[in-house]
Amino acid sequence: MDRARRPRSLLAALTAALLAVPGITALSSAAHAADADVAVNGGFESGLTGWTCTAGTTVTSPVHSGSSALQATPAGSDNAQCSQTVTVQPNAQYTLSGYVRGSYVYLGASGTGTTDVSTWTQSAPDWQKLSTTFRTGAATTKVTIYTHGWYGTGAYQADDLTLVGPGGSGTTQPPAAPAGLRTTTVTSSSVGLSWSAVTGATGYAVYRDGTKVQTVTGTSATVSGLAASTAYSFQVTAVNDAGESARSAVVTATTSAGGGGGGSSDLPAHALVGYLHASFANGAGYTRLADVPDSWDVIDLAFGEPTSVTSGDIRFNRCPVTECPNVESDADFKAAVKAKQAAGKKVLISIGGQNGQVQLTTTAARDTFVSSVSKIIDTYGLDGLDIDFEGHSLSLNADDTDFKNPTTPVIVNLISALKTLKARYGAKFVLTMAPETFFVQNGYQYYGTGKWGGQDPRCGAYLPVIHALRDDLTLLHVQDYNSGPIMGLDNQYHSMGGADFHIAMTDMLLTGFPVAGDPNNVFPPLRPDQVAIGMPASTNAGNGYVSPSEVTKTLDCLTKRTNCGSYATHGTWPALRGLMTWSVNWDRFANWEFQKNFDAYFG
């Protein structure tokens, strides 16, 4: 024996023995290392792929490294959390770290099976590293990592988030991006898609114009609720327990031309809608129906109001002579209705308004609503109905969380009543709605009382009504006035006073949006011919007045994608129906400024 050689350790001996077996080679140092970064897309280079955010987007500046970073802006009741669920191993040690900027930024992990952890900074004017560690429980296979800000503070940024530790058992990598995406059947309101299967995928997510609209388990999907004669882009990702793949190549499709439902085919390509003070006078003065200029294509008689909030009994009382000395007689009024109709105009009764609260809490109230509204329509020979429910007319019960399947009586009964009226009068019946932004676009952030309660139950309460009647709806003209700031699809708040507010609010209607931020519960877009933009006619008419030049910017951006401001739209809609204003009377008071601008633009 050579005494100069030291005895080999047991490990060395076993290694030598293994290497002597055919087919077994030495393990690299990398293979010995069990730890890896198990977070998906921690640098946000693939947008928000793999992350679920209540409010967030990716930006190209500032970034810590690479080309993208997360930016999220907390709101009064939202801390702008972004999270992802990661596959891990039980009884294992993990280190969570990342770089953040902004005030009050948190980084943490929940569902660890032991002690959930978080770390935070009160102020990071430049990139600052946050790091924390945890050990998983004996049965823990998934952990949620997250970052968020603090309520009502400014935007924060996050980048290069990592979770380092042993990879989870089973699948530890997201699948590859799907290939072969193509369109199949294309109609005026839907696009069929198919793609090749991806090894290791348990499902697929479909994106329309960059927004996730549905998830499926197979290799085909149909995206519905689209606008006619409109171009859309689509992508697909593959999903498994480890996360979501990068997005596929883009395919585009243009929907075919569709009929204008709900009587809209009788309207001109671009229509001007105005409310006429028919039952009251105010500072604008009374305007006789016969004196309304021909520029106005739809005239909403304001207002039919209930005998009591819950009666459903709607009455239309024309303005008395004592209040409106120049009011026409009933005979002259009816003759003016017929003259307008002979000229191709639509005259509707508008129900509600600021003072006309309507709550159809019972089926009896529903039936009374149908009969009393029918009587008004028949008495004056009107073309249809405008729903202008405001205030506390519509709200959602706490357990009513799905806009596609509402259960609240005031919602269900209103839908039933409007469908009954539509069926009674037929295809030419004109149905319009004029909700406030709080009841529609605000549903992007909040719906009803919310998952944990405490929200205003009126948030988004018009969405189930609009959705249930979208095939019968002639026009939706949301009141883009008397509104607080509303978050757009860019996850930024937009305020009244300029073109951007109207562009952002209208883009939401024409693009669709996830309700309460849920990507699996998307409110589908309306057809552009179903949408008009609601604006005050003058500074006297309401908060949110914009000058004619801002109106022109709005129309240029939405119909031509020119003259746009800071908000980037998700499409171009030359078939946008037009404008609505409160009111004809106030426009006359302002020397017809609103009407003249509309005529100049579309004339």
Side-chain angles (χ1 to χ4, degrees):
M1 177 180 288
D2 185 353
R3 293 177 180 267
R5 295 182 180 177
R6 296 182 179 180
R8 291 182 294 179
S9 67
L10 177 60
L11 175 60
L14 289 173
T15 301
L18 285 171
L19 289 175
V21 178
I24 295 183
T25 58
L27 298 176
S28 69
S29 59
H32 281 298
D35 288 350
D37 179 11
V38 295
V40 175
N41 189 31
F44 300 96
E45 302 303 315
S46 298
L48 296 180
T49 297
W51 296 90
T52 299
C53 301
T54 61
T57 186
T58 54
V59 294
T60 57
S61 178
V63 298
H64 177 258
S65 70
S67 59
S68 297
L70 168 70
Q71 178 167 294
T73 305
S77 58
D78 177 22
N79 60 12
Q81 177 167 298
C82 282
S83 63
Q84 73 169 256
T85 300
V86 182
T87 303
V88 295
Q89 287 188 13
N91 290 321
Q93 189 76 14
Y94 289 88
T95 299
L96 174 64
S97 62
Y99 291 85
V100 299
R101 293 176 82 255
S103 60
Y104 292 100
V105 193
Y106 291 72
L107 180 67
S110 60
T112 62
T114 54
T115 301
D116 291 349
V117 296
S118 67
T119 181
W120 63 287
T121 179
Q122 181 177 347
S123 177
D126 203 351
W127 291 107
Q128 177 178 325
K129 186 175 182 179
L130 296 179
S131 184
T132 185
T133 62
F134 62 88
R135 190 169 186 83
T136 54
T140 302
T141 58
K142 292 183 183 297
V143 168
T144 298
I145 60 174
Y146 62 84
T147 183
H148 66 71
W150 192 247
Y151 306 97
T153 59
Y156 73 88
Q157 293 84 34
D159 200 1
D160 296 332
L161 306 184
T162 62
L163 181 64
V164 176
S169 57
T171 301
T172 61
Q173 294 295 324
L181 178 63
R182 65 184 183 89
T183 61
T184 55
T185 303
V186 178
T187 72
S188 62
S189 61
S190 66
V191 172
L193 301 167
S194 69
W195 56 90
S196 302
V198 176
T199 302
T202 57
Y204 301 88
V206 180
Y207 288 79
R208 185 199 68 239
D209 294 332
T211 300
K212 185 187 292 185
V213 293
Q214 61 178 279
T215 56
V216 297
T217 56
T219 57
S220 64
T222 298
V223 181
S224 58
L226 305 179
S229 303
T230 303
Y232 294 94
S233 64
F234 301 93
Q235 291 172 287
V236 178
T237 61
V239 180
N240 62 19
D241 285 345
E244 190 173 357
S245 74
R247 297 182 189 181
S248 70
V250 175
V251 298
T252 60
T254 300
T255 52
S256 58
S264 65
S265 59
D266 290 338
L267 294 176
H270 300 293
L272 181 61
V273 183
Y275 286 81
L276 183 68
H277 308 178
S279 61
F280 62 93
N282 59 14
Y286 184 82
T287 300
R288 294 161 59 100
L289 178 58
D291 294 334
V292 176
D294 287 343
S295 296
W296 302 88
D297 302 294
V298 180
I299 303 166
D300 293 323
L301 305 176
F303 288 105
E305 298 180 353
T307 55
S308 69
V309 173
T310 59
S311 70
D313 188 5
I314 307 299
R315 305 295 176 88
F316 175 51
N317 298 310
R318 298 188 56 243
C319 192
V321 175
T322 53
E323 187 178 348
C324 303
N326 60 324
V327 66
E328 65 268 61
S329 67
D330 277 354
D332 286 346
F333 188 81
K334 292 176 182 177
V337 171
K338 291 184 179 298
K340 289 296 180 186
Q341 292 168 334
K345 314 304 178 184
K346 305 297 180 184
V347 185
L348 316 181
I349 179 64
S350 180
I351 307 298
Q354 180 178 333
N355 300 324
Q357 305 291 295
V358 182
Q359 297 175 2
L360 304 182
T361 56
T362 65
T363 54
R366 174 200 66 190
D367 296 342
T368 301
F369 180 89
V370 170
S371 60
S372 60
V373 170
S374 296
K375 183 176 180 180
I376 296 170
I377 292 172
D378 294 344
T379 297
Y380 294 97
L382 304 179
D383 295 287
L385 172 66
D386 173 69
I387 298 297
D388 185 13
F389 285 13
E390 301 180 14
H392 291 271
S393 292
L394 295 182
S395 63
L396 295 157
N397 289 349
D399 60 350
D400 193 346
T401 59
D402 182 4
F403 77 91
K404 297 176 183 175
N405 299 286
T407 58
T408 306
V410 295
I411 304 290
V412 173
N413 289 332
L414 176 60
I415 292 170
S416 176
L418 296 179
K419 285 186 174 291
T420 299
L421 286 165
K422 175 69 177 181
R424 175 173 296 184
Y425 290 100
K428 297 300 182 182
F429 183 77
V430 179
L431 175 63
T432 66
M433 298 181 191
E436 296 164 292
T437 55
F438 186 83
F439 295 91
V440 184
Q441 289 94 335
N442 199 48
Y444 176 51
Q445 277 188 286
Y446 312 107
Y447 188 70
T449 58
K451 294 180 180 179
W452 299 279
Q455 295 174 187
D456 192 318
R458 299 173 297 166
C459 294
Y462 246 97
L463 294 178
V465 181
I466 298 168
H467 184 68
L469 290 151
R470 62 174 57 243
D471 291 337
D472 300 311
L473 184 63
T474 310
L475 282 176
L476 177 73
H477 31 64
V478 176
Q479 301 177 35
D480 285 1
Y481 45 89
N482 298 332
S483 169
I486 302 291
M487 181 177 284
L489 293 180
D490 57 353
N491 291 324
Q492 303 298 314
Y493 282 96
H494 297 267
S495 299
M496 299 182 302
D500 268 11
F501 184 70
H502 297 294
I503 293 166
M505 294 303 98
T506 307
D507 180 66
M508 295 178 78
L509 302 177
L510 297 173
T511 302
F513 54 86
V515 176
D518 183 353
N520 297 314
N521 194 29
V522 174
F523 178 79
L526 293 166
R527 303 190 316 265
D529 65 273
Q530 289 179 296
V531 176
I533 309 171
M535 303 177 174
S538 68
T539 55
N540 305 89
N543 295 320
Y545 166 79
V546 296
S547 66
S549 63
E550 292 297 299
V551 177
T552 297
K553 287 181 184 177
T554 300
L555 295 172
D556 279 348
C557 184
L558 292 168
T559 65
K560 304 173 184 176
R561 219 168 193 172
T562 61
N563 212 9
C564 295
S566 61
Y567 184 90
T569 64
H570 292 77
T572 308
W573 302 279
L576 179 74
R577 184 62 74 178
L579 302 177
M580 174 275 280
T581 194
W582 178 264
S583 62
V584 173
N585 304 63
W586 281 117
D587 195 35
R588 180 183 183 183
F589 186 84
N591 195 31
W592 303 113
E593 177 188 80
F594 195 87
Q595 171 200 305
K596 290 175 181 177
N597 192 50
F598 176 88
D599 288 345
Y601 192 89
F602 289 114

